[in-house]
């Protein structure tokens, strides 16, 4: 006899089968909308709104974003008298990062099971979380139908573009797609069952340094950009260390580098026999939950200027240092929010501790929080294998996660 775990497993397998990299989410979203309808959900859909995104401080010029055929979808289950109770959102994203198939042991878009472990692109980040939301919501509705004493709504959201800064969630936060208000949310990103109430922000900067080219046989006639880059890189590393000592937050005390500076790409020169005359580096800088992106940018601009002021060449040929891509502030909610308490209590009922933690990455929770909707990140799986070949998750954790999220949602609806 089939049970909900069979349906959950099949739904994960179906979701993973769609290579829904950023810009290619349309097919999987249409499939999921059909699945939600077949399970009795009332479905909603919204497209990326260029006006909303153009006015949003997190996103670059809207002309640089691919917005075609990228619907976000949601399913709503109404319980009892829905207007007499609260609304809880179970949020997940449909997009996954690209793959290099040669690096995988098996087809990344076919779920492979090895004992209790499931492998596949997005199986961790975060199609298992998305699928468990569907069946957690359905479980609450089924129990409510039997008891007849539960009012409110459960919303299951599948948004697009999370890996690009949260395109679908940002639009839903700024332009509510539902004819009702939302009171709280659980974002089922992989958190190892920690209750994540704070998340780091991100500043993305592009550095360009200018030198003078010359023949490699007469390097003294040129000015290599590399020594200048190394001085700037070391200056930023020093500032990173200073900030990790100076900028404190109780939820980040155990992180060795809570506000990291990462030089993600560096490109210099155009010929092995020429002195490199130009360098471009792209840098991701961590922003503490209680800081602003502008404050952190000012610190790094000041440190860069100190390097420039100490060097005659850089004074005469100043580097460019400009924002690019997605920027976002950190986010944080009170650990005593009812949705956090509901998650932690439900987890405890299943023998899971669910400590309150901070997260060094960004999630769509920040968009919900920005809209005044308390959102906690809580889900199965260890983020360590996300975005990597042979991404994986424990099937037993997915089943436990479904049960905890269902119980947390019901607890919130009864006690809020």
């Amino acid at each position: 006899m089939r049970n909900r775990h069979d349906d959950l497993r099949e739904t994960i397998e179906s979701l993973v089968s769609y290579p829904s990299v950023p810009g290619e989410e349309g097919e999987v979203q249409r499939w999921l909308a059909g699945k939600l309808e077949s399970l009795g959900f009332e479905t909603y859909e919204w497209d990326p709104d260029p006006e909303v995104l153009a006015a949003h401080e997190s996103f670059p010029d809207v002309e640089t974003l691919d917005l075609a055929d990228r619907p976000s979808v949601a399913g709503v289950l109404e319980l009892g008298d829905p207007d007499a109770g609260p609304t809880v959102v179970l949020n997940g994203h449909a997009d996954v990062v690209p793959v290099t198939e040669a690096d995988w042991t098996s087809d990344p878009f076919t779920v492979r099971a090895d004992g209790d472990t499931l492998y596949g692109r997005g199986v961790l980040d975060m199609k298992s979380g998305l699928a468990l939301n569907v069946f957690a919501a359905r479980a609450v509705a089924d129990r409510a139908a039997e008891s007849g004493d539960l009012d409110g709504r459960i919303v299951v959201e599948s948004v697009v573009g999370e890996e690009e800064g949260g395109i679908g969630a940002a639009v839903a936060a700024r332009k509510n797609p539902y004819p009702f208000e939302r009171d709280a949310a659980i974002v089922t990103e992989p958190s190892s069952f920690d209750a994540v109430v704070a998340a780091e922000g991100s500043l993305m900067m592009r550095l360009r340094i200018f030198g003078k080219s010359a023949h490699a046989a007469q390097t003294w006639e040129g000015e290599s950009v590399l020594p200048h880059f190394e001085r700037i890189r070391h200056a930023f590393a020093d500032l990173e260390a200073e900030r990790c000592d100076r900028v404190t937050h109780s939820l980040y005390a155990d992180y060795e580098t809570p506000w990291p500076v990462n030089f993600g790409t560096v490109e210099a020169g155009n010929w092995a026999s020429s002195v490199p005359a130009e360098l471009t580096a792209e840098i991701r800088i961590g922003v503490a939950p209680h800081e602003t992106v502008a404050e952190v940018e000012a610190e790094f601009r000041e440190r860069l200027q100190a390097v420039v002021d100490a060097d005659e060449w850089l004074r005469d040929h100043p580097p460019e240092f400009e924002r690019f891509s997605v920027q976002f502030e950190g986010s944080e909610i009170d650990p005593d929010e009812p949705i956090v308490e509901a998650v932690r209590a439900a987890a405890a009922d299943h023998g899971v501790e669910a400590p309150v933690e901070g997260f060094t990455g960004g999630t769509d929770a920040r968009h919900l929080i920005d809209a005044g909707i308390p959102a906690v990140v809580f889900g199965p799986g260890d983020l360590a294998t996300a975005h990597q070949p042979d991404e994986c998750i424990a099937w037993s954790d997915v089943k436990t996660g479904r049960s905890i999220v269902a119980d947390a949602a019901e607890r919130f609806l009864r006690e809020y």
Side-chain angles (χ1 to χ4, degrees):
M1 181 176 178
R2 290 185 60 82
N3 57 41
R4 288 299 189 193
H5 285 158
D6 295 328
D7 291 339
L8 173 59
R9 178 72 165 261
E10 286 188 4
T11 299
I12 294 169
E13 292 170 351
S14 294
L15 290 171
V16 170
S17 72
Y18 290 90
S20 53
V21 296
E24 302 292 335
E25 302 101 330
E27 286 192 28
V28 72
Q29 293 289 69
R30 284 185 282 274
W31 179 88
L32 182 58
K35 182 69 174 180
L36 290 167
E37 289 176 354
S38 74
L39 290 170
F41 289 78
E42 180 182 3
T43 57
Y44 292 78
E45 179 179 317
W46 63 98
D47 294 317
D49 188 318
E51 291 186 6
V52 171
L53 296 171
H56 202 294
E57 58 278 3
S58 287
F59 294 92
D61 291 341
V62 71
E63 292 79 10
T64 68
L65 300 174
D66 177 9
L67 303 181
D69 192 26
R70 304 186 73 179
S72 291
V73 301
V76 178
L77 293 173
E78 295 190 338
L79 315 174
D81 179 357
D83 293 325
T87 294
V88 62
V89 176
L90 308 181
N91 170 278
H93 63 85
D95 55 314
V96 299
V97 297
V99 302
T100 301
E101 293 198 25
D103 294 338
W104 283 69
T105 303
S106 57
D107 178 1
F109 298 110
T110 299
V111 172
R112 175 173 63 89
D114 184 359
D116 187 49
T117 305
L118 306 181
Y119 295 87
R121 173 55 84 221
V123 75
L124 173 72
D125 185 14
M126 61 164 293
K127 289 179 174 177
S128 292
L130 183 57
L132 73 83
N133 287 345
V134 174
F135 292 97
R138 189 64 263 173
V140 175
D142 291 345
R143 296 197 296 247
E146 292 181 7
S147 67
D149 63 350
L150 186 61
D151 299 323
R153 295 181 182 87
I154 304 182
V155 181
V156 174
E157 280 187 347
S158 176
V159 294
V160 301
E162 190 274 344
E163 301 292 355
E164 297 173 290
I167 291 171
V171 171
R174 297 285 174 96
K175 189 177 179 180
N176 187 358
Y178 312 109
F180 49 81
E181 297 304 315
R182 298 154 289 177
D183 296 295
I186 304 171
V187 180
T188 51
E189 290 271 15
S191 73
S192 300
F193 289 142
D194 292 342
V196 177
V197 301
E200 181 180 292
S202 175
L203 169 65
M204 303 289 280
M205 300 296 293
R206 181 178 286 123
L207 171 69
R208 294 184 69 198
I209 306 171
F210 307 97
K212 178 185 176 184
S213 188
H215 196 288
Q218 293 183 310
T219 56
W220 57 88
E221 296 290 346
E223 182 74 24
S224 173
V225 292
L226 297 178
H228 299 298
F229 171 70
E230 282 301 297
R231 282 193 290 275
I232 294 170
R233 188 178 67 83
H234 284 295
F236 281 10
D238 290 343
L239 180 54
E240 174 192 61
E242 293 169 22
R243 282 175 43 76
C244 289
D245 288 338
R246 170 170 46 85
V247 181
T248 59
H249 191 294
S250 59
L251 295 179
Y252 292 81
D254 292 337
Y255 286 102
E256 181 178 345
T257 309
W259 330 121
V261 177
N262 181 64
F263 285 79
T265 69
V266 181
E267 297 181 357
N270 56 19
W271 192 250
S273 291
S274 297
V275 172
E278 187 171 328
L279 181 145
T280 301
E282 293 179 341
I283 311 163
R284 190 269 195 191
I285 300 169
V287 178
H290 54 287
E291 295 183 299
T292 68
V293 167
E295 290 169 348
V296 176
E297 180 182 352
E299 280 197 70
F300 281 85
R301 285 193 179 279
E302 182 179 353
R303 188 58 55 95
L304 174 61
Q305 190 60 50
V307 177
V308 170
D309 291 343
D311 184 272
E312 180 179 359
W313 178 269
L314 292 180
R315 289 198 303 272
D316 293 339
H317 307 83
E320 295 177 357
F321 193 51
E322 303 297 337
R323 293 187 185 187
F324 79 102
S325 187
V326 174
Q327 324 291 324
F328 54 87
E329 316 287 351
S331 62
E332 186 171 12
I333 62 171
D334 191 322
D336 293 330
E337 281 284 352
I339 192 63
V340 181
E341 294 182 343
V343 164
R344 299 190 71 204
D349 288 344
H350 289 269
V352 175
E353 184 178 356
V356 171
E357 296 288 354
F359 187 52
T360 55
T363 73
D364 279 339
R366 71 180 181 278
H367 294 301
L368 293 155
I369 294 168
D370 180 57
I373 304 164
V376 59
V377 176
F378 177 87
D382 184 347
L383 195 64
T385 72
H387 297 197
Q388 295 187 26
D390 293 336
E391 177 181 345
C392 63
I393 195 168
W395 170 234
S396 56
D397 285 347
V398 177
K399 291 186 289 185
T400 299
R402 186 209 66 85
S403 298
I404 293 174
V405 170
D407 291 353
E410 182 174 353
R411 185 183 292 265
F412 177 81
L413 291 170
R414 290 189 182 281
E415 298 179 1
Y416 179 70

